Structures are given as C-alpha cells and as structure tokens.
Amino acid sequence: MKFCAKFNCIWPSRRRFRRLLFLLPSLAGVFVFVLLPFADVARRSFTTAVNGRWNGWANYEMLAGNQAFLLAVKNTLRFTAVCLPILIGLGLLTAVLLSRLPRIQTLKACYLLPLAAPAATVVLVWRILFADSGLLNGLLAKFSLSPVRFMESEAAFWVLVASYVWKNLGYTVILWLAGILGIPESILEAARVDGASERQCFYRVILPNLKPTLYTITVLSFLNSFKVFREAYLVAGAYPHESMYLLQHLFNNWFTGLEFDKMAAAAVCTALVMGVGSIGLKRLWDRQGSW
Amino acid sequence: MRRRMKQGLTLGGLAVLAALVCLPVIWVLAGSIKSSVELSDSLSPILLENGGRVRFTLWPLFPTLRHFMEVLLQSPSFFVVFWNSVRIAVLTLGGQLMVAVPAAWAFARFPSRGNGFLFTLYTVLMMMPFQVTMLSSYLVLDNLGLMGRQAAVILPAVFSTFPVFLIYRGFTEIPEGLVEAARIDGAGDWRIFFHIGLPLGSSGILSAAVLSFLEIWNLIEQPLAFLEDKALWPLSLYLPEVGLGQAGTAFAASVITLIPAVLVFVMGQDYLEKGIVAAAMKE
C-alpha cells in the first residue's frame, strides 16, 4: 500500500482515470446485475410479497418455522458434512499415489473427464444404474443381496454423494497434487537422510506442509457442492426423495411459486453465511503463510 | 525389485479407479452405437417394468451409426438446440473476456487504495452459488424486459467475477520491470496492455476460457429459471427431455454434446489444471 501511495503522487489523477477506464465495464456490470439488485432483495426481505409493505423481521421468523426450509438446511449441512471428508480423503490418497509415479498425464485426464462431461449427457446412465430394475440392483442380486430402491429411499442421499464425488474427484486430485509437488524436494531428502521411513516422511513432512492446501480444497469443494443440484434435478426432478431435498431445490421451487418474500430472506441468510465464511477462511489462509 | 512391484501395484489401483471414473462416459459411447432393438431389449425392464433386470454390455452386438444419422439428419429440433448452446457459449465467453481481461489488468497493474476492498468483494461474489443471486438476477432481468430471452442467461454470466480472478493471477506474474521498461521507452497504457499484458498473460486468459466454457456448456440452473420457451434452451437442459424410450437417439445426442466439451478439455488440459490451481492459490 505504501508503494501505491508513492505512485499516486507521481501520476495523480491521470493514473486513477486510466485504471477506472479498464475497470469500468466490469464494475458497472457487477453493480447493475449483482450489487444493486441484491440490495433490493435485502430490502424486500423485510417487506411482504403481496403489497410490498414493511414487515419487519416477520419473513425471517417465518423462515425459522418453515418445515421445508429446515429440512433443506439440515440436508444441505448433512450433505456437506458427509461429502467433504470423503472427497478430500479420497483425493489426497489418489494424489499421494499419483505423485509416486513417473508419467501421470493420462491418469489425470481420466479423473478430470467428469468435470468436462455435462450433467445432461450422463443422466441416462444414472437412470440405468439406479433404477429399481437397474444395473446396480442387478449387481446386488448377483451377490444375493436384497434390492435397494435407490431413488425412493434414504439411499437417494448416497446416490447424490456418489455423483458429487465422481464429478469433483479430478479437481481435488489436481489441487492436492499441486500441493504435494510444491513441497521442496530438499526437505524430503533431508528427512530421508536423517533416517525417516516413507511413512514418517508422509505424516511428519508431507501432511503438515499440505495444511494451506487443505483450507483451499475445503472452500472450493464446499462451493462446488452447490452444483450437485444439476445431477439431482436432472435425475430426480424438482421434488426428489426428502433425504436429498437441498437448499437448491427449495430456492428453485420458491422461485417457480413466486414466493419472493421467503426467498429474499433465505438469500440474505445464505449470502451472509457464505460471505462471512469465505472472508473468515481467507483470513485464516493469510495467517498460514505462503504455499 | 520390490520398488518396481510397489509401483506396479500403485499404477494398477489408480488405473482401476480411473476406469471406474470414466465408465459412465464409456457407457454413453457404447449406447450410442447399439441398435434400437438391442437397446429396447436390454432396457425393457425399466421401460416396461416387466420384473426383469437391465443388462448393459459394453460392446454392442451390431455396432451402428444409425442414431447419429437420425439425430444429425432427421431431427431439426436438435439443430435448433445445438445452435442455442453454441450461441450462448460464444456470446457469454466473448463477453466475459472483453469485460474481465481489462478489469483483471486494472487490479494487477494499477494498485490503488480501493483495490483491497474491491478485490475482496469480487472474490466473495465469485463464491456465491447461483441460488443466492437467483432472485436478484430475476429482478433486474425483469426490469430490463429480458426475461424469457437468451440474453437473460448470457448477460449476468458475462459479469461473473470468476474469470477476473483467474486472469488477474496470470497478470500478476508479469515482472514489474518489464512494464516499467516499456513505459520508459514511451509506450502508453494501451500499448503496454496489448503488447505486454495480453501475450504474457495469455496462459491465465486461456485457463479462464477453458474453465468458463466447460461451465457454460453444462449450464442448467440459469436457463431453467429464466427461459420458459423450450425452443430457446441449451443442450445441457434439453437433453434429459429425450427419454429412455428413444435411448439410441438420446445417447447419440449426448455423444454429440460431449464432443465440444471433450475437445476443449483435451486441447486445454494443461490450462485447465493451471486454472484450477491458480483459482486456489492464496494471494
């Protein structure tokens, strides 16, 4: 910041003007399409949907007592709590194994392929896999296990988890791999010279050095978890089994039903949680030291 | 010797996982060249609920390209939807780059007092899922009379802050000395931007383009909320409408939809990986 203050003295207003010229299109768009309308949404969250009259905290109170909202929040939290550890753990394991092999370009490409495949193109496969008379139940029958109604029971939740992990594994592996390959070889060499075993190297050297990577991956995986709605919606529609009814479904259904008062309050709450969360985590990273 | 064996085992395990991950896509490919008879026969348990179980072999009995001919030559609606996708992707991507590249340049090269706050704002906005901004986007689109038009999907996406963030990363890697040298030689801001910024920051720009394209090609939430007329939908939303009843057509259409995404993916894998890592790096 000191640096820029000095620069501002040399080129006072011209420089600032040029900067604004570069920034203006983006800034104007963000204001018109995001910030101003969101301020309007925040205002609406305190009014009634019908006549727009001031309503105080009533919408928020309604939200707190709304069964669908509570169910959606519970499911979204549960989904996150189950998915993140599975994805992050599996990603780490894969990345550690990958880092020991010489040529990994093709393998990486395989893991990343689901990221490139639009949800719509694999929906058919999902239906064939998870139908009551589908492939997975056929597999279960081969091992003489009883069939599962994947889309009509608690199992729907796990179908969602599986498709999330499938889609995001490559992303996570790439991030872990970057973290692992970023650890200076000299540290590992030094540990080996001191007589550390492979296992000790992993737990004492590699893992502690990956801590900043862990923060990053957690945040990004959490954000990507909202996109699981695509698969969920395409496979199970707007009203899936209640174990996989997420916040995304709720927003979508409120939008279709024009229930803007509840939607505004819920949008403000979600934005607050996500905003405070991401700024808080950024603070944490900044304290962690560099990559 | 033991080391060799260990490496072989690792490779084996990872290859099995990779095959498992790729399997759904391979199934789609296999389905697209199976004959209609074979498909309806093997899928009949789902379609007719006759109590049997689906069998779905990886290799077709009689490979055929018929479904592709049908989709490409005999279904005009597919063409309409395909071009919808292309139009949305090209316009969004073009708009994004035109807006985001200069903005990223401003953040990277003109440090000023407001920078920190604005940049944090951009990062926070980048992290908001679509559902949070759904209502606000609707309000502004409705005001502008854009609801129900493809512009309703394109315009808000153009001002996404994610590309700004990625391209900014690329620009910050340009050595300050280079820019200073050009300035001393008399190059103006625009020349520096076009002759130093764009070429040296191209890797960041390409990363943003690859990630953006894959995202746009997979668009579902936005057209679902803002486009009522199915004739305006992109492939990513339209495809599931073709049910299992016409499995052959559905699989072939899926493969055709996959092709552009996979092409971009294969050509841009390095940029994609760079982009993923750059998006995650701390400042």
Side-chain angles (χ1 to χ4, degrees), chain B residues 189-254:
Chain B
D189 280 321
W190 294 107
R191 276 190 77 123
I192 294 177
F193 174 62
F194 281 109
H195 292 279
I196 295 181
L198 289 191
L200 292 183
S202 62
S203 131
I205 297 172
L206 281 172
S207 293
V210 170
L211 273 170
S212 266
F213 176 79
L214 294 181
E215 176 67 22
I216 300 165
W217 203 249
N218 191 11
L219 220 52
I220 289 186
E221 294 95 335
Q222 291 85 339
L224 181 67
F226 301 145
L227 294 179
E228 225 172 309
D229 187 356
K230 286 185 184 179
L232 297 176
W233 280 6
L235 277 170
S236 43
L237 192 55
Y238 175 84
L239 267 187
E241 301 268 306
V242 191
L244 273 181
Q246 312 162 44
T249 317
F251 278 126
S254 295

Side-chain angles (χ1 to χ4, degrees), chain A residues 33-34, chain B residues 137 140-141 150-160 222 226:
Chain A
F33 282 96
V34 188
Chain B
S137 298
V140 75
L141 291 171
Q150 279 173 354
V153 174
I154 297 169
L155 269 178
V158 163
F159 298 106
S160 154
Q222 291 85 339
F226 301 145

Side-chain angles (χ1 to χ4, degrees), chain B residues 113-135:
Chain B
R113 245 163 264 153
N115 239 2
F117 170 74
L118 264 187
F119 200 72
T120 307
L121 180 72
Y122 268 54
T123 357
V124 170
L125 288 183
M126 159 184 120
M127 304 204 161
M128 291 297 161
F130 169 71
Q131 284 78 19
V132 170
T133 51
M134 187 184 208
L135 181 58

Side-chain angles (χ1 to χ4, degrees), chain A residues 1 3-5 7-8 11 14-16 18-19 21-23 25-30 32-35 37-38 40-41 44 90 94 97-98 100-102 105 107-129 131-135 137-138 141 147 166-167 169 171 174-175 178 198 216 219-220 223 226-227 229-230 233-234 247-248 251-252 255 258 260 263-264 267 270-272 274-275 278-279 282 285-286 289-291, chain B residues 6-7 10-11 14-15 17-18 20-22 24-25 27-28 43 45-46 52-56 99 102-103 105-107 109-116 118 120-125 127-129 131-141 144 147 155-156 159 161-162 164 176 180 183 189-190 193 211 214-215 217-222 224-226 235-237 239-240 242-244 247 250-251 254 257-258 261-262 265 269-270 272-273 276-277 279-283:
Chain A
M1 278 299 142
F3 176 77
C4 12
F7 259 80
N8 274 339
W11 292 296
R14 216 193 99 205
R15 201 177 152 77
R16 211 174 288 163
R18 283 295 166 88
R19 170 175 184 268
L21 223 54
F22 278 105
L23 199 53
S26 171
L27 212 53
V30 167
V32 171
F33 282 96
V34 188
L35 292 180
F38 197 81
D40 192 29
V41 167
R44 274 165 189 262
L90 189 62
T94 314
L97 293 179
L98 270 177
R100 292 181 186 164
L101 295 177
Q105 196 66 4
L107 278 174
K108 275 197 291 187
C110 288
Y111 298 134
L112 276 173
L113 184 63
L115 191 71
T121 57
V122 287
V123 163
L124 281 184
V125 175
W126 263 215
R127 286 189 198 153
I128 295 173
L129 269 177
D132 288 341
S133 50
L135 281 175
N137 273 329
W166 173 76
K167 183 103 194 165
L169 182 64
Y171 205 97
I174 297 295
L175 287 175
E198 257 332 283
T216 319
V219 174
L220 286 175
L223 298 169
F226 274 81
K227 289 184 188 154
F229 175 69
R230 293 174 178 170
Y233 179 78
L234 293 185
L247 267 177
Q248 296 91 302
F251 272 103
N252 201 53
F255 183 76
L258 300 177
F260 289 168
M263 214 178 149
T270 318
L272 268 181
M274 313 252 341
S278 57
I279 291 176
K282 195 168 168 289
W285 290 352
D286 289 350
S290 68
W291 256 52
Chain B
K6 240 178 151 179
Q7 223 178 40
T10 314
L11 183 64
L14 289 174
L17 182 65
L20 215 63
V21 167
C22 291
V25 177
W27 260 326
V28 174
L43 296 179
I46 296 182
R53 292 237 183 269
V54 168
R55 285 161 290 107
F56 204 81
V99 169
W105 183 251
F107 277 124
R109 287 294 138 188
F110 296 83
S112 89
R113 245 163 264 153
N115 239 2
L118 264 187
T120 307
L121 180 72
Y122 268 54
T123 357
V124 170
L125 288 183
M127 304 204 161
M128 291 297 161
Q131 284 78 19
V132 170
T133 51
M134 187 184 208
L135 181 58
S136 47
S137 298
Y138 166 76
L139 292 176
V140 75
L141 291 171
L144 295 174
M147 273 299 286
L155 269 178
F159 298 106
T161 55
F162 185 62
V164 180
E176 184 67 36
E180 274 319 302
R183 208 188 292 283
D189 280 321
W190 294 107
F193 174 62
L211 273 170
L214 294 181
E215 176 67 22
W217 203 249
N218 191 11
L219 220 52
I220 289 186
E221 294 95 335
Q222 291 85 339
L224 181 67
F226 301 145
L235 277 170
S236 43
L237 192 55
L239 267 187
V242 191
L244 273 181
F251 278 126
S254 295
T257 309
L258 266 170
V262 169
F265 168 66
Q269 195 193 339
D270 287 340
L272 180 69
E273 288 179 21
I276 292 173
V277 175
M281 261 193 325
K282 73 186 282 306
E283 265 173 78

Side-chain angles (χ1 to χ4, degrees), chain A residues 16-185:
Chain A
R16 211 174 288 163
F17 175 70
R18 283 295 166 88
R19 170 175 184 268
L20 196 65
L21 223 54
F22 278 105
L23 199 53
L24 197 62
S26 171
L27 212 53
V30 167
F31 262 91
V32 171
F33 282 96
V34 188
L35 292 180
L36 294 181
F38 197 81
D40 192 29
V41 167
R43 181 189 63 83
R44 274 165 189 262
S45 72
F46 293 104
T47 62
T48 59
V50 191
N51 52 16
R53 226 178 274 147
W54 183 256
N55 205 10
W57 292 95
N59 289 335
Y60 290 90
E61 280 158 19
M62 193 157 63
L63 215 56
N66 186 300
Q67 289 305 315
F69 181 70
L70 295 179
L71 175 73
V73 168
K74 192 194 98 192
N75 280 341
T76 308
L77 288 180
R78 178 171 171 234
F79 180 73
T80 321
V82 169
C83 273
L84 292 195
I86 294 180
L87 179 71
I88 292 170
L90 189 62
L92 178 61
L93 181 69
T94 314
V96 168
L97 293 179
L98 270 177
S99 72
R100 292 181 186 164
L101 295 177
R103 275 182 304 274
I104 51 178
Q105 196 66 4
T106 319
L107 278 174
K108 275 197 291 187
C110 288
Y111 298 134
L112 276 173
L113 184 63
L115 191 71
T121 57
V122 287
V123 163
L124 281 184
V125 175
W126 263 215
R127 286 189 198 153
I128 295 173
L129 269 177
F130 299 115
D132 288 341
S133 50
L135 281 175
L136 267 186
N137 273 329
L139 198 67
L140 287 179
K142 254 189 200 147
F143 294 101
S144 18
L145 296 166
S146 52
V148 177
R149 304 205 67 193
F150 284 103
M151 301 318 297
E152 250 73 47
S153 70
E154 272 290 308
F157 178 79
W158 295 100
V159 171
L160 205 59
V161 171
S163 72
Y164 168 78
V165 171
W166 173 76
K167 183 103 194 165
N168 291 289
L169 182 64
Y171 205 97
T172 319
V173 168
I174 297 295
L175 287 175
W176 277 128
L177 210 54
I180 292 171
L181 298 179
I183 298 171
E185 190 59 31

